[in-house]
């Protein structure tokens, strides 16, 4: 564990100087975010570079409070004159804003004081030519996997690295570095008999370059997923068991994440309003939000307000135990922050997940499929037909029809409909295949029954 002490680098001193000037200009409280980093992104399509960008940028965001009035500004000009002007203008803006009695920094006693090394940064520097080659290799692996792969929407390789410094007028100065590497491929398959075309994709995201799967394996998986969709058809409308694969189950869990967000709750725009302590899901469901997961894509030592991140139990065996809160939404609800303040440079904090995941069960995806005599296995969701106030759920879907415990044929142009309040309670099997490809992740899930609308 490293004690949180003012760092000696230039950004920490810069933050301290800007905060001191804000005090001189009449700010009663203030905080500052300084971020710098570099990004590289390349898209290859049919073996040719279609888009390439490389950037290095630095930005500074300042938030000041004058009593209960506040304002936020940002700049990429770090000259002394520019920063002095930024502070003066921000304080002037704050004095003109309508007061908000709930506004303000968290208490000084709540600031993070130490944190572990969460293994978020990889110092590997990749040559641009290598990153282009990785994208080309992934696409080539997809294109040569089968003669029915006839085209491609492209392969993308993205890398980023940077550091963030957060400081406030309580004397808190914290810093961490992070990195990410991702590779995605989207091939198109053509049925030689009907001429019908299908696309699908596969991707991976890692903090460390060495943990990224080979371009060939990602390309081959993307091709497999596209090929298996050939010959897709509609099905008759009926109520049947529905299985969500990892990706679509993660989307459903993302709806739960939105429903437990403090801002939706205090605005009374969530179907989980006033449900703390109540059963909201099957007793198979336990959900954590863990900001301290080593190497996690959402991990960080402190949140956007300087509070220590932690592992929060959101749902425990079906019972809602906690919301996701920052200081502001917590005050609105009469609750304490959960360390989930998310922050963009130049913006006020909001609520965001860290690593929000459903604890895996004991069944493999194959075992779950084998448990269904007649039903739907969902691999893609389309559209956003979700009412977060009522929980009403209706989305287009693609996937496979299950007959006698096996995937029988691909299906498309169907809609699945239900209500999230019931859908979470109707989960009757949880897979053992949890994999993080983002901040929200879930294993395969089986719901007892949903309406599937087709022909």
């Amino acid at each position: 564990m490293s004690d949180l002490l003012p760092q000696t680098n230039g950004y920490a001193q810069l933050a301290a100087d800007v905060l001191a000037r804000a005090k001189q200009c009449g700010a009663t409280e203030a905080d500052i975010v300084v971020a710098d980093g570099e990004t590289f992104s390349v898209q290859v399509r049919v073996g040719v570079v279609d888009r390439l960008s490389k950037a290095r940028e630095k930005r500074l965001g300042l938030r000041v409070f004058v009593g209960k009035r506040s304002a936020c500004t940002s700049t990429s000009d770090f000259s002394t004159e520019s920063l002095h002007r930024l502070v003066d203008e921000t304080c002037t803006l704050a004095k003109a804003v309508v007061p908000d009695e709930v506004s303000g920094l968290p208490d000084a006693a709540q600031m993070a004081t130490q944190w572990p090394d969460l293994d978020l940064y990889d110092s590997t520097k990749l040559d641009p030519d290598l990153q282009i080659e990785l994208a080309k290799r992934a696409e080539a692996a997809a294109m040569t996997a089968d003669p029915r792969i006839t085209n491609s929407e492209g392969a993308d390789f993205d890398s980023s690295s940077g550091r963030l410094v957060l400081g406030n007028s309580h004397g808190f100065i914290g810093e961490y570095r992070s990195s990410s590497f991702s590779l995605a491929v989207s091939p198109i398959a053509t049925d030689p008999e009907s001429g019908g075309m299908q696309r699908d994709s596969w991707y991976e995201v890692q903090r460390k370059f060495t943990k990224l799967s080979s371009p060939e394996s990602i390309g081959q998986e993307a091709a497999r997923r596209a090929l298996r969709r050939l010959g897709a058809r509609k099905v008759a409308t009926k109520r049947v068991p529905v299985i969500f694969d990892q990706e679509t189950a993660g989307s459903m869990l993302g709806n739960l994440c939105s429903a437990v967000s403090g801002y939706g709750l205090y605005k009374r725009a969530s179907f989980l309003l006033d449900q703390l302590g109540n059963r909201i899901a099957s007793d198979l469901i336990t959900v954590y939000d863990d900001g301290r997961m080593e190497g996690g894509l959402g991990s960080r030592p402190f949140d956007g307000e300087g509070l220590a991140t932690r592992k929060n139990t959101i749902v425990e065996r079906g019972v809602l135990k906690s919301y996701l809160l920052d200081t502001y939404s917590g005050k609105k609800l009469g609750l304490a922050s959960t360390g989930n303040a998310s922050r963009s440079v130049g913006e006020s904090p909001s609520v965001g997940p860290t690593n929000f995941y459903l604890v895996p069960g004991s069944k493999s995806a194959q075992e779950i499929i084998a448990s269904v005599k007649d039903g739907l296995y969902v691999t893609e969701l389309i559209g956003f037909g979700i009412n977060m106030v009522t929980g009403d759920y209706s989305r287009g879907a693609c996937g496979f029809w299950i007959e006698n415990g096996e995937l029988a044929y691909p299906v498309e142009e169907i809609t699945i409909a239900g209500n999230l309040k019931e859908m979470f309670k109707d989960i009757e099997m949880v897979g053992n295949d949890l994999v993080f490809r983002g901040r929200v992740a879930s294993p395969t899930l089986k719901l007892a029954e949903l309406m599937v609308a087709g022909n």
Side-chain angles (χ1 to χ4, degrees):
M1 302 283 276
S2 304
D3 287 335
L4 176 60
L5 296 171
Q7 309 296 305
T8 55
N9 67 68
Y11 284 169
Q13 187 59 54
L14 175 69
D17 291 345
V18 170
L19 290 168
R21 183 170 178 87
K23 281 281 193 179
Q24 294 169 5
C25 289
T28 51
E29 293 182 322
D31 62 4
I32 185 172
V33 179
V34 186
D36 80 351
E38 53 188 8
T39 60
F40 181 92
S41 177
V42 61
Q43 181 181 73
V44 170
R45 187 173 179 277
V46 198
V48 177
V49 174
D50 197 42
R51 172 183 52 78
L52 187 148
S53 65
K54 183 177 182 181
R56 180 174 184 89
E57 63 176 356
K58 59 181 182 179
R59 290 190 67 205
L60 179 151
L62 176 66
R63 179 174 61 149
V64 304
F65 297 89
V66 178
K68 293 296 182 179
R69 307 169 189 265
S70 67
C72 297
T73 54
S74 66
T75 184
S76 57
D77 183 349
F78 284 24
S79 67
T80 300
E81 179 183 355
S82 170
L83 293 176
H84 283 184
R85 186 168 60 251
L86 180 81
V87 173
D88 295 347
E89 291 175 352
T90 311
C91 290
T92 300
L93 286 171
K95 293 169 185 176
V97 172
V98 173
D100 183 343
E101 292 306 314
V102 181
S103 69
L105 297 181
D107 292 340
Q110 295 179 286
M111 295 296 106
T113 56
Q114 55 183 2
W115 60 83
D117 178 2
L118 298 176
D119 201 24
L120 307 180
Y121 180 67
D122 184 352
S123 60
T124 302
K125 300 296 182 186
L126 301 178
D127 185 89
D129 289 340
L130 172 59
Q131 297 180 73
I132 294 169
E133 179 194 341
L134 293 168
K136 286 183 175 181
R137 282 169 54 190
E139 186 185 50
M143 295 288 288
T144 58
D146 189 286
R148 292 171 294 171
I149 300 292
T150 56
N151 207 336
S152 168
E153 291 187 351
D156 298 81
F157 188 91
D158 295 271
S159 62
S160 65
S161 65
R163 61 173 166 165
L164 181 141
V165 175
L166 175 69
N168 64 34
S169 52
H170 293 323
F172 173 90
I173 297 283
E175 174 187 355
Y176 63 91
R177 304 180 80 178
S178 62
S179 60
S180 72
F181 302 86
S182 67
L183 181 57
V185 196
S186 300
I188 297 171
T190 302
D191 189 323
E193 296 181 6
S194 68
M197 301 173 71
Q198 294 285 349
R199 60 154 293 283
D200 210 321
S201 62
W202 195 239
Y203 69 102
E204 194 169 300
V205 187
Q206 296 285 353
R207 290 283 193 187
K208 300 295 183 74
F209 175 66
T210 55
K211 291 187 176 181
L212 205 63
S213 296
S214 71
E216 288 72 22
S217 67
I218 294 172
Q220 289 162 7
E221 175 62 14
R224 185 189 73 83
R225 292 173 70 89
L227 289 165
R228 68 179 184 171
R229 293 176 62 160
L230 290 174
R233 55 181 115 155
K234 288 186 179 181
V235 293
T237 297
K238 59 174 79 175
R239 292 187 67 86
V240 291
V242 172
I243 297 172
F244 290 84
D245 75 351
Q246 292 171 315
E247 292 293 297
T248 54
S251 172
M252 183 176 161
L253 190 66
N255 301 143
L256 178 71
C257 182
S258 297
V260 298
S261 169
Y263 283 75
L265 289 157
Y266 83 72
K267 293 174 183 176
R268 308 190 69 81
S270 168
F271 65 88
L272 291 180
L273 182 67
D274 300 326
Q275 292 298 306
L276 276 182
N278 293 343
R279 178 168 297 281
I280 64 156
S282 158
D283 61 7
L284 297 174
I285 303 304
T286 295
V287 176
Y288 294 117
D289 184 72
D290 186 1
R292 292 296 177 95
M293 182 184 295
E294 283 200 14
L297 295 171
S299 297
R300 49 196 173 164
F302 51 84
D303 76 353
E305 297 179 300
L307 277 63
T309 50
R310 64 196 197 202
K311 184 176 183 178
N312 290 301
T313 302
I314 307 303
V315 179
E316 185 174 46
R317 295 188 60 81
V319 177
L320 183 61
K321 293 291 188 178
S322 175
Y323 294 136
L324 297 182
L325 305 168
D326 64 355
T327 298
Y328 186 87
S329 61
K331 286 180 179 178
K332 282 282 195 179
L333 294 166
L335 299 167
S337 171
T338 57
N340 283 96
S342 180
R343 191 78 169 268
S344 296
V345 175
E347 302 288 338
S348 294
S350 58
V351 170
T354 55
N355 301 293
F356 190 91
Y357 68 97
L358 195 156
V359 175
S362 59
K363 302 293 185 181
S364 69
Q366 284 305 119
E367 288 176 305
I368 295 174
I369 292 167
S371 73
V372 176
K373 184 177 181 180
D374 186 49
L376 175 66
Y377 178 67
V378 182
T379 60
E380 183 178 0
L381 292 166
I382 303 163
F384 300 95
I386 302 167
N387 185 324
M388 292 304 296
V389 178
T390 64
D392 288 338
Y393 184 99
S394 177
R395 297 191 68 181
C398 301
F400 297 85
W401 201 254
I402 304 169
E403 291 181 350
N404 299 317
E406 294 185 351
L407 301 182
Y409 52 85
V411 294
E412 63 182 359
E413 295 182 30
I414 56 177
T415 300
I416 53 175
N419 186 286
L420 288 166
K421 288 186 283 190
E422 300 306 319
M423 289 166 65
F424 284 107
K425 291 177 181 177
D426 286 347
I427 293 170
E428 58 180 28
M429 295 183 79
V430 177
N432 60 5
D433 52 351
L434 177 70
V435 176
F436 282 88
R437 292 187 184 85
R439 294 186 175 194
V440 180
S442 171
T444 298
L445 298 176
K446 177 190 173 186
L447 277 65
E449 196 174 69
L450 275 178
M451 178 60 74
V452 177
N455 291 324

